[in-house]
């Protein structure tokens, strides 16, 4: 094969490769390439997405160093945070600088030409909680809030590659029931600050289980490579459904009430990581899977804001909502590799769990009352497919909708909203539909300053119950024509991935089944189907 000169531009700096085979090989091996999350293609023309002007956040025990502020990075400019902080104030020079935090930040925003981050153009605000032996969930909540208020209170996603062990929770006989202070804080901040919290999944017994019992964020497990492809849930993930699990772990390492904490899987095994001194070393864990998701949000949000500036049809500021990002990311995840006929939505890989089972063998596929798989969530993160899902645009149910799209809407208690697909669907093709909404957590704001302060608490007002259905368009009543459904009673996500039995016209139904708090529920919906041409 003859050599070709390939160049791309990141932050105004050009990078070139004179060997097409070498470039292709590098892309395949990288966690950002086609064998990982397929994000690097979005950096290139015609997409040119690197997260420009999009603010994302990071909360950890320590923080990445900032060039010109911390000696630890005096010879390394790969990571250049927009701001570094210690809890609710400015960071002190050379204090709380941490290599783990730097590794995580590099996955998101590295500007290194040889090892770029997912979103090298994004603005990263990083907060160090400090010594956890002296600090607790109160300080961690203050740190999260402080990050959420940066960039004019416009931070689109916040990365947690840390957490609290349940044994340190001050509640008597504490369990993973969503009521730890930090978990309540995450769900409150998600709604009030409209930021998607991306949480590293619990990893290993006695691990960082809080706040993995949140409802409104995204919890991430990590994948390992088989034959160079990130397509297997890594064995070190502590994820399960309670079957065959010691009863002493239920509520301690796994959520109660049958909830499954994992939302997505992303690369996290033997990831090349940049250290503060500029050296590159491999690392593994959910800590490095989560920032792949956070960085992907920055890419999508840059595209969304670009559409807004161009005043594109079927586009609104609803594209910035965290529920929309959650629905888009989950609905576009890889489950079962497409055979080339498009019937499996063009999915790029088959993800398998720790027992080598694929999605079609999961309870989530077979049982409508289980919305996500305990190990795989909705599948493996695919940044390019997330872009395709998001670029379908916003479509409201007042008119027929295209085969791929999303919406941000509201539904009233006791009612249903239906989205009629404009074109008939192909027989034996798959359809993916994801519905996401928030648990309602409110702040007991003692001083009425609309911010969390030390000594204040949160009130859990519970989760309204929404259901999701794929229905034949000619169904005469709500009880007839249901083809597939997701009817979990304990989750804030409903997810459908099912085959279309016969060619014909279909509609998507969002039903407000049971009211627990407010009578009107905001939600995000994303769908992807295969129409008859």
């Amino acid at each position: 094969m003859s050599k070709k000169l390939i160049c791309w531009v990141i932050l105004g700096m050009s990078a070139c490769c004179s060997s097409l085979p070498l470039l292709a090989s590098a892309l395949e091996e990288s966690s950002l390439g086609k064998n990982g999350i397929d994000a690097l293609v979005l950096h290139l023309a015609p997409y040119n997405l690197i997260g420009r002007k999009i603010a994302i956040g990071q909360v950890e025990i320590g923080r990445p160093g900032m060039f010109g502020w911390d000696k630890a990075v005096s010879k390394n400019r790969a990571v250049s945070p927009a701001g570094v902080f210690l809890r609710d104030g400015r960071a002190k020079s050379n204090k709380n600088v941490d290599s783990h935090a730097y590794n995580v930040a590099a996955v998101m925003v590295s500007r290194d030409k040889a090892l770029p981050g997912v979103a090298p153009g994004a603005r990263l605000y990083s907060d160090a909680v400090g010594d956890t032996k002296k600090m607790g969930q109160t300080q961690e909540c203050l740190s999260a809030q402080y990050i959420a208020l940066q960039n004019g209170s416009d931070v689109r996603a916040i990365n947690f590659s840390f957490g609290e062990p349940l044994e340190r929770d001050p509640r008597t006989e504490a369990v993973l029931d969503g009521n730890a202070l930090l978990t309540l804080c995450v769900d409150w901040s998600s709604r009030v600050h409209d930021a998607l919290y991306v949480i590293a999944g619990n990893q290993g017994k006695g691990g960082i289980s809080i706040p993995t019992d949140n409802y409104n964020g995204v919890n991430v497990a990590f994948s390992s490579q088989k034959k160079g492809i990130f397509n297997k849930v890594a064995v070190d993930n502590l994820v399960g459904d309670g079957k065959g699990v010691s009863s002493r772990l239920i509520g301690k390492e796994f959520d109660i009430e049958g909830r499954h904490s994992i939302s997505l899987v992303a690369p996290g095994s033997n990831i090349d990581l940049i250290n503060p001194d500029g050296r590159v070393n491999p690392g593994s864990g959910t800590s490095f899977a989560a920032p792949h998701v956070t960085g992907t949000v920055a890419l999508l949000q840059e595209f969304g804001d670009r559409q807004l500036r161009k005043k594109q049809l079927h586009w609104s500021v609803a594209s910035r909502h965290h529920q929309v990002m959650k629905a888009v990311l989950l609905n576009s995840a890889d489950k079962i590799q497409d055979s080339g006929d498009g019937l499996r939505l063009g999915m790029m890989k088959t993800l398998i769990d720790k027992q080598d089972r694929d999605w079609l063998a999961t309870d989530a596929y077979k049982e409508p009352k289980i919305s996500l798989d305990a190990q795989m969530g909705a599948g493996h993160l695919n940044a390019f497919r997330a872009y395709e899902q998001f670029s379908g645009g916003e479509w409201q149910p007042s008119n027929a909708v295209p085969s791929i799209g999303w919406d941000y809407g509201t539904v009233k208690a006791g009612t249903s909203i239906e989205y009629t697909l404009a074109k008939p669907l192909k027989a034996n093709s798959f359809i993916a539909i994801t519905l996401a909404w928030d648990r309602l957590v409110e702040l007991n704001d003692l001083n009425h300053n609309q911010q969390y302060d030390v000594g204040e608490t949160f009130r859990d007002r519970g989760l309204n119950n929404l259901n999701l259905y794929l229905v034949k368009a000619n169904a005469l009543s709500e009880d007839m024509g249901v083809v597939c459904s997701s009817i979990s009673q304990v989750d804030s996500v409903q997810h459908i991935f099912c085959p279309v039995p016969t060619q014909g016209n279909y509609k998507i139904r969002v039903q407000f089944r049971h009211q627990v708090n407010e009578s009107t529920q905001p939600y995000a919906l994303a769908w992807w189907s295969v129409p008859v041409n």
Side-chain angles (χ1 to χ4, degrees):
M1 183 181 294
S2 61
K3 290 185 178 181
K4 298 180 181 179
L5 185 65
I6 299 177
C7 299
W8 64 98
V9 177
I10 297 179
L11 298 172
M13 299 181 293
S14 63
C16 300
C17 180
S18 60
S19 173
L20 184 58
L22 287 176
L23 177 60
S25 176
L27 289 175
E28 289 174 0
E29 294 174 3
S30 167
S31 66
L32 273 60
K34 287 188 177 297
N35 289 346
I37 67 170
D38 201 19
L40 289 178
V41 66
L42 294 175
H43 294 181
L44 309 175
Y47 313 104
N48 297 312
L49 297 173
I50 58 171
R52 297 173 187 85
K53 298 182 180 180
I54 301 300
I56 56 178
Q58 175 187 22
V59 180
E60 293 199 39
I61 305 306
R63 63 172 179 85
M66 176 182 283
F67 185 83
W69 186 248
D70 301 300
K71 292 181 180 179
V73 293
S74 59
K75 298 181 180 180
N76 181 14
R77 301 192 184 192
V79 175
S80 182
V84 289
F85 310 99
L86 176 63
R87 292 187 290 282
D88 53 356
R90 188 178 181 183
K92 296 180 180 179
S93 179
N94 301 314
K95 299 291 185 181
N96 302 106
V97 178
D98 175 66
S99 59
H100 179 273
Y102 193 93
N103 295 156
V104 172
V107 174
M108 293 185 278
V109 298
S110 167
R111 301 183 183 187
D112 185 86
K113 293 180 181 179
L115 197 61
V118 180
R123 297 171 57 83
L124 177 66
Y125 294 88
S126 182
D127 197 304
V129 175
D131 186 355
T132 55
K133 294 180 180 180
K134 300 178 181 178
M135 304 300 162
Q137 295 181 47
T138 295
Q139 290 75 22
E140 292 160 359
C141 180
L142 288 173
S143 297
Q145 175 180 251
Y146 198 71
I147 287 297
L149 295 173
Q150 298 306 308
N151 198 52
S153 298
D154 183 18
V155 176
R156 309 292 171 88
I158 298 175
N159 194 88
F160 268 42
S161 284
F162 88 109
E164 275 286 308
L166 192 63
E167 64 184 20
R168 287 181 45 179
D169 190 277
R171 296 174 297 156
T172 303
E173 298 183 355
V175 293
L176 292 180
D177 57 2
N179 289 319
L181 186 143
L182 183 57
T183 303
L184 291 167
C185 176
V186 164
D187 281 353
W188 166 76
S189 179
S190 296
R191 179 178 61 85
V192 172
H193 302 122
D194 203 6
L196 182 65
Y197 278 79
V198 181
I199 313 294
N202 192 8
Q203 179 189 331
K205 296 179 180 179
I208 52 173
S209 48
I210 297 171
T212 60
D213 54 340
N214 73 85
Y215 287 77
N216 302 347
V218 171
N219 294 333
V220 187
F222 77 103
S223 62
S224 59
Q225 292 173 291
K226 290 188 70 175
K227 297 182 179 179
I229 301 173
F230 287 94
N231 63 358
K232 181 178 173 64
V233 177
V235 295
D236 290 335
N237 288 281
L238 182 62
V239 289
D241 55 8
K243 295 179 180 178
V245 175
S246 171
S247 60
R248 66 183 177 83
L249 295 179
I250 302 300
K252 299 293 185 181
E253 301 290 354
F254 303 112
D255 294 354
I256 65 171
E257 297 180 347
R259 291 184 63 221
H260 294 165
S261 65
I262 297 301
S263 308
L264 280 173
V265 181
S269 181
N270 290 316
I271 303 297
D272 285 336
L273 302 167
I274 302 177
N275 291 319
D277 61 6
R279 290 184 295 179
V280 176
N281 294 109
S284 299
T286 57
S287 288
F288 311 119
H292 283 83
V293 179
T294 308
T296 298
V297 172
L299 300 182
L300 298 179
Q301 287 296 299
E302 181 188 1
F303 172 74
D305 283 5
R306 182 186 298 170
Q307 297 292 86
L308 290 172
R309 287 194 300 272
K310 293 179 179 178
K311 299 182 179 180
Q312 293 289 335
L313 292 174
H314 300 289
W315 214 268
S316 76
V317 292
S319 62
R320 296 174 175 173
H321 287 314
H322 67 280
Q323 301 100 319
V324 171
M325 282 292 90
K326 184 173 181 177
V328 164
L329 290 168
L330 269 60
N331 207 59
S332 58
D334 279 326
K335 292 182 179 69
I336 302 291
Q337 186 175 12
D338 192 278
S339 61
D341 56 14
L343 296 181
R344 290 179 173 175
L345 311 179
M347 292 184 177
M348 294 176 59
K349 67 180 69 172
T350 295
L351 179 65
I352 56 175
D353 66 12
K354 294 194 288 184
Q355 289 75 38
D356 291 332
R357 298 172 300 194
D358 65 24
W359 177 267
L360 301 182
T362 66
D363 289 342
Y365 178 69
K366 301 172 183 177
E367 174 53 63
K369 291 184 179 180
I370 299 175
S371 57
L372 300 175
D373 180 62
Q375 294 189 37
M376 296 185 283
H380 198 284
L381 174 68
N382 186 315
F384 184 74
R385 293 190 78 249
Y387 162 81
E388 290 183 296
Q389 174 74 73
F390 197 38
S391 63
E394 181 182 17
W395 297 83
Q396 297 175 346
S398 52
N399 295 302
V401 302
S403 58
I404 180 171
W406 55 269
D407 187 32
Y408 181 79
T410 58
V411 60
K412 293 183 178 180
T415 69
S416 298
I417 293 178
E418 294 185 336
Y419 296 75
T420 301
L421 293 164
K423 293 184 178 182
L425 301 185
K426 284 186 179 181
N428 301 316
S429 68
F430 276 77
I431 183 170
I433 317 169
T434 303
L435 177 68
W437 69 103
D438 283 347
R439 171 172 70 147
L440 181 57
V441 176
E442 296 178 338
L443 173 66
N444 294 317
D445 191 7
L446 300 179
N447 59 3
H448 305 291
N449 67 348
Q450 299 182 338
Q451 292 188 21
Y452 171 76
D453 298 294
V454 175
E456 292 181 337
T457 58
F458 296 96
R459 177 190 176 197
D460 175 16
R461 293 192 56 199
L463 180 70
N464 283 331
N465 181 219
L466 274 59
N467 287 340
L468 181 64
Y469 304 89
L470 177 68
V471 185
K472 291 183 178 180
N474 60 0
L476 298 178
S477 71
E478 285 201 353
D479 297 328
M480 298 177 62
V482 174
V483 176
C484 306
S485 62
S486 181
I487 54 173
S488 169
Q489 298 179 9
V490 296
D491 295 307
S492 59
V493 169
Q494 302 289 10
H495 181 68
I496 287 173
F497 179 69
C498 74
V500 175
T502 58
Q503 180 175 310
N505 294 303
Y506 293 85
K507 57 187 177 182
I508 298 165
R509 178 184 298 152
V510 175
Q511 181 189 57
F512 193 157
R513 180 77 174 181
H514 178 64
Q515 179 183 348
V516 174
N517 47 69
E518 301 295 331
S519 61
T520 300
Q521 179 63 59
Y523 66 86
L525 181 73
W527 62 91
W528 192 323
S529 60
V530 183
V532 175
N533 294 327

